[in-house]
Amino acid sequence: MTTVSHHGSTRPLVVDRTIFDYADELAVEVPTSCLRNGECHECVVEITNGMASLSPPTEPEEFLRGDFRLACQARIVRKDRNISFMPLRRRPRILEVSRQRGRHVPLDPMVTRVGEEVWYGDTAIDVYRGAIYGLAVDLGTTTVVVEMVDLETGETAAVTSFENPQQFGGSDVMNRISYEARPGVSGELQNAVVTAINQAIREMVSGQGFRPPHVYEVVVAANSTMRDVLFGLDVQGIGQKPYKSLIEHEYLAGLRAHTALLTGTRDLGLRANRRAKVYGLPLIASHVGADAAACLETVQLGETGETEMLVDMGTNTEVILHHRGRLYAASCPAGPAFEGGLITYGMRAYDGAIESITLATDGSADRYETIGGFPAAGICGSGLTDLLAELRGKGLMTPLGVFTENRKLFSIDVVPERGITFSKQDIGNLAQAKAANYCGQFIVMRTAGVDPDEIDRLYLAGGFATYLNVRNAIDIGLIAPVPEDRVVKMGNAAIDGARALLVDRSRRRRAEEHAKEITHIELETTPDFFEIFVEGCQMKPMPLELPMPPTGTLAPELVAS
């Protein structure tokens, strides 16, 4: 009997039913606001098996590509194979707070209660309805975290997190920028994420016994592309030289005082109070975006005067270094490999993902742990890092990523009983992602004249970095060889930074001015960038002493932002 399934739950396959019919039957939450006629474009699902058994894409689905369909339009036309699907609003393991949450932040929000009125700054905007809430949003390429804060007390009322539902536009920012350039798809990425945030607002506010009009402000931390997509701006300039947002161009031309954004929630379609505002944290430069600015608010680099480096790891990694009173920053387009993309059995941090592993001498798993203790279904980023380090440490792989036991071997059985393999092609894709992280740290440190052992503190931010085995990450060159006792895992520093600006208005001006003081390094202008990238592809540690640029070449061009 053929079936339709979602996350292990199945129902018999019946021709002429839609995927939405099965979502209802399997109690799968799929958003919609158009009575399932294809107009709202909200019910996007990923068909993980059996696409050929579905009807051809309809006109309302022209904005989709790959394995994505609208649940209301995808109708079953064949019953010769099983079908499985997943909604885009899934909940992998996502870090919802930083590890600095205990720091005191003064309570001085933009939205306050004055008697029986609600004020935004010095303007009355509403009568008091019983509660005043604000939202801090960490809008990542892969994941989204939304925190609701009671602005009268500064206490967190609710937190939720989910995968970014814009996946149908690609797994990284460059793919999404390309997607936005396609005819007829303008606004689809914005619509997807606004719909998801609106659902989060409804769930969190109703959980407190109130309604969306009780939300008076939203503060957003995001990379340059994700922030500008949310605000409905053209992002094509971020995808081509000189890789700058429209807002950054306006700032550099003297048309803006800073790169932060402020608009009404109604302008973006967010369901909040009709007078509510959305504040987008400032961009630093190019792809070093508002998420990096938020992380700086959490970490506060240079506060002690020491040499400190922040690495916010993700599909687009940001590196920021403080040394001798000066800040340097660069972005590294690492791509989705350590998020499971392009890896045969790679996966995000869902239940069943192998998150740590040690190998036997034949390359099979000697010991491994999965998220939630579920049967192994694949390998997430921290497990992939361990796997690379174990292959090198056991002498099963050369620094060039070649299996040593048999030159003709293209894959090994890591977990034979689950059919999980690891291939030479997987190694190659991870090597390039690792090299991007390597280059960012290497070039930023070299530009500042700092060697790894001179870093007093290395802060690692982001969910992937939080679960890394630091020793393994150093051994393969994913992070700089800073002494391990100086490495501090920060967790989700971006959401904490966004929250700080939500509850303390004075930090906004500071963040806006801080962003202007940072020296932005364009990695691709470094004369020996390609040589550093090739070196970074090798599975070995970064040098403890960084070599100077080649004789006769100029230092990297520094662009003051």
Side-chain angles (χ1 to χ4, degrees), residues 297-317:
E297 280 301 306
T298 301
V299 177
Q300 298 182 0
L301 286 189
E303 193 177 49
T304 64
E306 296 179 301
T307 296
E308 298 176 317
M309 185 163 69
L310 165 69
V311 180
D312 186 10
M313 304 184 78
T315 54
N316 186 73
T317 294

Side-chain angles (χ1 to χ4, degrees), residues 237-261:
I238 307 176
Q240 55 196 8
K241 288 185 177 181
Y243 306 109
K244 295 187 184 300
S245 162
L246 284 174
I247 302 304
E248 187 180 354
H249 279 300
E250 292 178 1
Y251 163 69
L252 294 173
L255 302 176
R256 288 176 172 270
H258 50 71
T259 57
L261 291 172

Side-chain angles (χ1 to χ4, degrees), residues 87-164:
L88 292 194
R89 198 171 187 271
R90 293 176 284 187
R91 300 180 187 272
R93 180 177 63 187
I94 300 174
L95 285 175
E96 297 176 340
V97 295
S98 85
R99 296 194 172 181
Q100 297 293 300
R101 179 49 61 94
R103 277 189 180 182
H104 175 69
V105 177
L107 182 60
D108 183 24
M110 284 295 297
V111 185
T112 57
R113 178 184 178 183
V114 180
E116 292 304 309
E117 293 182 319
V118 177
W119 287 55
Y120 184 90
D122 57 3
T123 303
I125 61 173
D126 200 5
V127 296
Y128 182 66
R129 300 169 181 258
I132 301 175
Y133 290 120
L135 301 181
V137 179
D138 171 23
L139 175 56
T141 310
T142 305
T143 57
V144 183
V145 177
V146 183
E147 179 174 353
M148 187 170 76
V149 179
D150 183 332
L151 295 180
E152 294 186 88
T153 66
E155 297 297 319
T156 295
V159 184
T160 189
S161 57
F162 47 89
E163 279 192 336
N164 188 321

